[in-house]
Amino acid sequence: MAAKRKRGALAAGKAKRARSAPSAGEAVPEGGPREPSIPPQEYSIPPPVSQGKWKNKERVLIFSSRGINFRTRHLMQDLRTLMPHSKADTKMDRKDQLFVINEVCEMKNCNKCIFFEAKKKQDLYMWLSNTPQGPSAKFLVQNVHTLAELKMTGNCLRGSRPLLSFDPIFDQEPHYALLKELFIQIFSTPQYHPKSQPFVDHVFTFSITDERIWFRNYQIIEEDASLVEIGPRFVLNLIKIFQGSFGGPTLYENPHYQSPNMHRRLIKLSVAAKFREKQQVKEVQKIKKKGTKVLVEEDPTEMVFETPAEEKPVEIQLVKPESKPIVKDKKKLRKIQRKKQKKLFRTEG
């Protein structure tokens, strides 16, 4: 029990704790016992990796709705690994309104959001939003290839800060300039972030081709500053830009956008048109076969190359030919022929 402890136990414990190595400024007493000297290097603490202060408190929430396929799930996980300032959350129910995402971001202490919305188990949409004020942009995601799928030689350290490379077209049109600022705030890792590394070894490229935004991730090789693709890669087809977060007045609508439903409908119509054309060709051929044949007039030049055949003399047979006996056995037939030959020889002799 605590009450029955010995009196000298507490003093002995204090004496054990008191024995420690003397500091660099203290001198060892002459008469006292000398302990082994400890080098001052063991007491020096290494400086922190980043000397600066984390000021840019950008946090991105990356999550999705229910009904996504495995490719979308892998793409979402790849973006989380490439962005150390991102956070994850559970999947959102389809019945919930998109405005609920603003409350989820507020609970997670995030001011940016990447939301993947799946429809019909085959179409994937991506929302990029600045919560809760806006603006927000909606894209159709196409040609998705993940890190696990692509066999590429590039590699980068996890948590390193990327460089962002943009196409010159982003500075020419106002809606692309707005998207550029949105991409910079979402995909750039804040400086001196606790989970980030203090160097740059890969590049995020955003290029515009065929009215679409192509995303690529490349590794920077130090020897010759060449680029090797790491992944993932995907294509963003802009649909609309909204003033608010996940809604509000429409700032820009892409006139070149074609919905996946319309695209599939046009493909079906083209296939049906080819089938109808084949059926019409078959019907025309049947009508031609059933129609009356038109007699072509004789060509007078056809008789030029015809040569008359030699006339053979007509032979009139006055004697009735002998009827041949119908014999099924060949041996009997040969015997009958031999008998006839013998009779002829006798009559001639």
Side-chain angles (χ1 to χ4, degrees), residues 19-45:
R19 295 195 59 157
S20 60
S23 61
E26 295 177 1
V28 181
E30 295 180 357
R34 293 188 178 182
E35 295 182 359
S37 62
I38 299 173
Q41 295 179 357
E42 294 185 8
Y43 291 96
S44 62
I45 300 172

Side-chain angles (χ1 to χ4, degrees), residues 44 55 80 188:
S44 62
K55 296 180 181 179
R80 287 173 183 170
S188 62

